């Protein structure tokens, strides 16, 4: 295997190699990490309609899952605790299975129009507390389960990735008909259902079973 990386630097194979390649963390980057949710974190979460949730199983197999709803759908219970309600899905429940096996969790909150994101890392547990979940009802549907996240660290991430991607720019939006529907993709990948049937089923699910 090649022992040289880009521009003649040693290949990164250890923590020491990694730090040698990138240099030391700036004092400001280290200091910005909090161990609780301050007013800026709370306000950002209240504005956020979307997050990416990362977990892993006991063997380290990772999974990232999207979560979305009206802004502020994630409840801030206190400065160290969040509650993410579970909405209707496909019942794979990969995230819940991972949390049972390995409670570590990472969250990435996004707010449309803002290039910076909020990262929250900690540990999660399954909550079935009716009193906590009841206020998170939508369209009179109360979630019966959720994820309680115990915050260990949180910090804002700079906007470079979203700026480079132009994620919020209307000019970069892809016309929906330029990519197959999910129903058609699943039909062709599984060969278990006709594309037209799958597309109709998906349209119906989107229309009537969001909650």
């Amino acid at each position: 295997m090649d022992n040289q990386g880009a521009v003649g630097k040693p290949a990164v194979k250890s923590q020491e190699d990694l730090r040698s390649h990138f240099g030391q963390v700036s004092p400001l980057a280290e200091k910005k990490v909090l161990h609780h949710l301050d007013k800026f974190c709370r306000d950002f979460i209240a504005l956020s309609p979307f997050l990416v949730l990362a977990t892993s199983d006991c063997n380290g197999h990772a999974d990232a899952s999207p979560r979305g709803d009206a802004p502020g759908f994630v409840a801030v219970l206190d400065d160290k605790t969040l509650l993410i309600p579970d909405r209707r899905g496909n019942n794979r429940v990969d995230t819940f299975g991972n949390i049972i096996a390995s409670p570590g969790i990472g969250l990435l909150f996004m707010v449309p129009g803002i290039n910076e994101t909020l990262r929250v890392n900690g540990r999660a547990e399954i909550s079935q507390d009716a009193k906590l979940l009841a206020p998170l009802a939508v369209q009179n549907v109360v979630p019966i389960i959720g994820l309680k996240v115990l915050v260990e660290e949180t910090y804002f991430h700079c906007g470079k990735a979203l700026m480079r991607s132009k994620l919020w720019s209307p000019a970069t939006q892809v016309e929906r008909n330029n990519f197959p529907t999910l129903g058609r993709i699943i039909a062709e990948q599984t060969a278990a259902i006709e594309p037209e049937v799958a597309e109709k089923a998906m349209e119906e699910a989107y229309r009537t079973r969001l909650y």
Side-chain angles (χ1 to χ4, degrees):
M1 179 175 290
D2 190 354
N3 291 322
Q4 291 295 313
V7 296
K9 288 192 175 185
V12 175
K13 297 182 179 179
S14 67
Q15 294 291 338
E16 292 75 17
D17 294 339
L18 187 64
R19 188 50 57 202
S20 175
H21 183 90
F22 284 97
Q24 295 303 307
V25 181
S26 73
L28 188 60
E30 283 189 316
K31 193 172 183 179
K32 74 175 183 177
V33 178
L34 304 178
H35 303 288
H36 67 283
L37 301 166
D38 70 356
K39 65 176 183 177
F40 300 110
C41 297
R42 286 170 170 263
D43 290 347
F44 197 88
I45 292 169
L47 290 172
S48 176
F50 181 80
L51 65 89
V52 177
L53 186 161
T55 57
S56 63
D57 65 16
C58 59
N59 295 312
H61 299 136
D63 179 76
S65 177
R67 293 289 190 275
D69 213 321
F73 74 99
V74 174
V76 180
L77 302 183
D78 56 47
D79 288 349
K80 295 279 291 184
T81 315
L82 298 172
L83 181 60
I84 306 172
D86 186 57
R87 306 301 187 195
R88 294 182 70 170
N90 58 15
N91 290 337
R92 282 184 55 95
V93 296
D94 297 302
T95 295
F96 288 112
N98 285 347
I99 291 301
I100 291 172
S102 178
I105 192 168
L107 309 176
L108 181 68
F109 287 92
M110 301 184 190
V111 175
I114 297 179
N115 286 324
E116 290 74 27
T117 54
L118 177 67
R119 295 171 64 166
V120 177
N121 299 317
R123 300 171 69 81
E125 59 187 38
I126 294 173
S127 175
Q128 295 171 277
D129 189 326
K131 290 183 179 179
L132 294 179
L133 292 166
L136 305 181
V138 177
Q139 297 182 5
N140 296 318
V141 178
V142 178
I144 60 174
I145 197 168
L147 278 181
K148 183 185 286 187
V149 178
L150 310 176
V151 177
E152 295 180 345
E153 62 177 17
T154 181
Y155 54 95
F156 283 93
H157 195 108
C158 78
K160 292 177 183 177
L162 271 67
M163 292 169 69
R164 287 190 289 254
S165 69
K166 297 181 174 61
L167 184 64
W168 307 131
S169 172
T172 66
Q173 300 302 299
V174 176
E175 293 292 336
R176 188 61 190 88
N177 59 9
N178 286 341
F179 194 79
T181 65
L182 179 57
R184 182 163 294 274
I185 291 170
I186 291 174
E188 293 194 16
Q189 288 179 336
T190 65
I193 189 172
E194 291 298 319
E196 293 76 13
V197 175
E199 286 181 325
K200 288 182 180 179
M202 190 62 63
E203 289 172 4
E204 178 69 9
Y206 284 166
R207 187 174 64 85
T208 65
R209 295 195 295 277
L210 285 181
Y211 298 100

